[in-house]
Amino acid sequence: MGAAFSARPAKIPVEECMQYLRKTPFFLYLSDETLQEFALCFPTAIKVNADQIAQLQSGNNYVVAKGELDLSTLIPATNPSKIDTKRYLCKKKPGDIINTDETKNDAVQQMSTPKLKNYIDNIVTIGCSKSLILCGDSFMLSKFLESKSNADVKESIKAITKSHITDYLSRIPFLSNIKESHLRMLAAMGHYEAKGANEVVFNEGTEGSKLYIVLHGVASVSTQKDVSGIKTSESSNGGSELCNANSADGNEPIDIILIADLKNGDYFGETALMIDVPRTTTVKTKQKSLFLVLDKNDFENFLMVCPIKESMLQVMTDRMLSKLSSIGIPFLVGIELTSLSTSVEMHEVPKDSIIFNEGDVGDRFYIIFYGEVKVEAKKVQEGISSDAEVTSTEDENG
């Protein structure tokens, strides 16, 4: 027997709605007066009990006010005698926004032939506990946006309620060839984060677990290190600029390399989705900014439905080789590195692992993307063999 459906939407007091909206990214852009006007665009709310399916309408916008909900996808059964299967995608918590798209035409196409029935079906939102969802009124939201002259307010809210998130996702190379229905699914799994001007999104050297897409605002990508010019930007925009700053103690000056300014539609941090290495750059906002964020754990759930890991690794490899080709490493002079992309492999090596032993027949060379390696060789002195450390190399990118 399937899960029960939630009750229909009921009216919610404006003051209560305002309290819930203060937990969302919208709050950064809204004054108290504007927040009250905005709350009127969410006149109703849906109560969802544990294991109930929330009845959400296509084309509307919803905000999780209380509780937690699971987003899952239904995979239609290929055999009429079997039931559809459900695959968990991600969790939505208070302050998260749930966007629904117009999927009527796509659904009709999916049902038109037996082959298309095998495609991923629509996303289902199910309560994990007693939850409350604010229901946006599309007409009232449009009127609210028309009445506002503040560009920050209009653009940030449009970025969530009306922007084509799937268009931004499709610009990411490893997502460019996947189906529209998968892009919509991934867009629904995203979370929104808002940052004020001059706020750090993440620092170089910290652990990373998220990919970011700029929906509104500007963020700068920089690094404190210049490793012979080798640096992986972790961004979709190139270029670099050198400037000067003080170290943490204020005494020694350090070089800050400005790699790029990222604007609407640009993305950064994708390395964290695939490889467990610390961030290789620092990203900081230049003005109020809004991001769509994809979490690593959620993305791994998405890969179970849409297996694109191989293409992701290929894109990362191509970008790394493109960066290295401009460095002028003596051994690689004259070699078009990008032409070798299909022959290059990326490997994560645990600490204290042996990459190869002295005396092994060599059939490849290595470029260090991140971390530190120790090179040792045996030396013979007066007939006695002993181990001797030759060199130690620490290099984030090569």
Side-chain angles (χ1 to χ4, degrees):
M1 185 174 178
F5 286 92
S6 64
R8 294 190 177 278
K11 288 186 178 181
I12 182 172
V14 174
E15 294 77 13
E16 184 180 351
C17 185
M18 288 175 64
Q19 292 300 320
Y20 296 134
L21 289 174
R22 284 192 171 94
K23 301 175 184 178
T24 72
F26 295 123
F27 182 59
L28 181 68
Y29 297 89
L30 303 175
S31 64
D32 284 344
E33 181 181 352
T34 309
L35 181 63
Q36 185 172 12
E37 294 178 51
F38 187 59
L40 294 173
C41 301
F42 293 83
T44 59
I46 299 173
K47 292 182 179 180
V48 185
N49 292 323
D51 299 323
Q52 280 188 335
I53 296 175
Q55 299 188 73
L56 307 184
Q57 300 297 316
S58 295
N60 288 344
N61 295 277
Y62 299 88
V63 174
V64 180
K66 293 193 297 186
E68 291 187 351
L69 301 109
D70 281 346
L71 262 63
S72 302
T73 182
L74 291 179
I75 305 177
T78 55
N79 188 328
S81 63
K82 295 183 178 180
I83 62 173
D84 297 346
T85 57
K86 183 178 70 175
R87 187 180 294 281
Y88 168 79
L89 295 174
C90 67
K91 198 174 292 295
K92 293 291 185 177
K93 300 179 180 181
D96 282 342
I97 294 121
I98 302 174
N99 288 348
T100 57
D101 292 308
E102 294 291 349
T103 57
K104 182 177 180 180
N105 291 335
D106 184 62
V108 170
Q109 289 179 345
Q110 289 185 33
M111 297 302 291
S112 63
T113 67
K115 183 178 180 179
L116 288 172
K117 284 186 178 181
N118 295 327
Y119 283 13
I120 300 302
D121 204 349
N122 295 331
I123 292 169
V124 178
T125 305
I126 301 176
C128 302
S129 58
K130 284 188 176 181
S131 305
L132 185 70
I133 305 174
L134 305 181
C135 306
D137 184 293
S138 297
F139 177 76
M140 296 178 71
L141 278 170
S142 296
K143 284 294 193 182
F144 172 82
L145 292 173
E146 289 173 7
S147 69
K148 297 302 161 193
S149 58
N150 187 306
D152 273 354
V153 172
K154 294 181 71 169
E155 294 305 315
S156 62
I157 294 175
K158 280 183 179 179
I160 294 176
T161 62
K162 293 183 178 298
S163 68
H164 300 289
I165 301 297
T166 55
D167 290 346
Y168 287 155
L169 291 172
S170 67
R171 297 177 194 174
I172 300 176
F174 53 80
L175 298 176
S176 60
N177 294 319
I178 70 173
K179 296 184 303 183
E180 179 71 17
S181 57
H182 283 155
L183 286 175
R184 286 200 301 271
M185 179 188 302
L186 190 57
M189 295 173 67
H191 301 268
Y192 296 89
E193 288 187 13
K195 298 284 186 181
N198 300 313
E199 278 195 50
V200 173
V201 181
F202 57 71
N203 281 307
E204 182 175 355
T206 57
E207 294 299 319
S209 62
K210 300 175 182 177
L211 174 146
Y212 296 80
I213 299 175
V214 183
L215 298 182
H216 179 247
V218 180
S220 64
V221 184
S222 64
T223 178
Q224 295 183 5
K225 294 183 180 180
D226 182 9
V227 188
S228 302
I230 303 175
K231 196 70 201 173
T232 298
S233 68
E234 277 203 301
S235 71
S236 55
N237 199 345
S240 63
E241 177 184 345
L242 189 65
C243 64
N244 194 264
N246 289 327
S247 60
D249 59 13
N251 295 322
E252 296 184 13
I254 58 174
D255 287 334
I256 300 293
I257 302 138
L258 301 179
I259 296 171
D261 282 340
L262 306 180
K263 301 179 181 179
N264 295 8
D266 289 333
Y267 66 94
F268 58 95
E270 75 280 3
T271 301
L273 297 183
M274 296 298 297
I275 302 176
D276 292 325
V277 298
R279 298 290 192 185
T280 58
T281 57
T282 292
V283 178
K284 186 177 182 180
T285 60
K286 283 193 165 184
Q287 60 188 57
K288 287 182 181 178
S289 299
L290 180 69
F291 305 98
L292 178 73
V293 180
L294 296 175
D295 183 79
K296 181 177 181 177
N297 291 333
D298 293 342
F299 193 77
E300 287 175 351
N301 292 328
F302 175 74
L303 291 180
M304 298 292 290
V305 175
C306 182
I308 55 169
K309 189 171 184 177
E310 186 175 333
S311 63
M312 286 186 66
L313 288 172
Q314 187 61 56
V315 167
M316 290 174 61
T317 300
D318 290 344
R319 290 179 64 177
M320 183 184 71
L321 289 175
S322 177
K323 198 74 176 178
L324 290 174
S325 64
S326 64
I327 303 307
I329 301 173
F331 177 70
L332 301 176
V333 170
I335 299 176
E336 182 59 46
L337 290 180
T338 53
S339 66
L340 301 177
S341 62
T342 56
S343 303
V344 173
E345 298 176 351
M346 296 183 69
H347 294 276
E348 289 186 73
V349 183
K351 182 180 178 181
D352 296 327
S353 296
I354 296 175
I355 299 173
F356 58 75
N357 287 302
E358 184 175 357
D360 291 348
V361 177
D363 59 355
R364 64 189 64 188
F365 69 91
Y366 299 84
I367 299 174
I368 303 170
F369 176 71
Y370 190 92
E372 178 180 347
V373 301
K374 181 185 293 185
V375 181
E376 297 179 339
K378 290 182 179 180
K379 64 179 182 180
V380 178
Q381 185 175 10
E382 296 180 358
I384 300 175
S385 176
S386 63
D387 288 340
E389 182 178 311
V390 176
T391 184
S392 179
T393 304
E394 183 172 2
D395 186 339
E396 288 192 356
N397 301 285

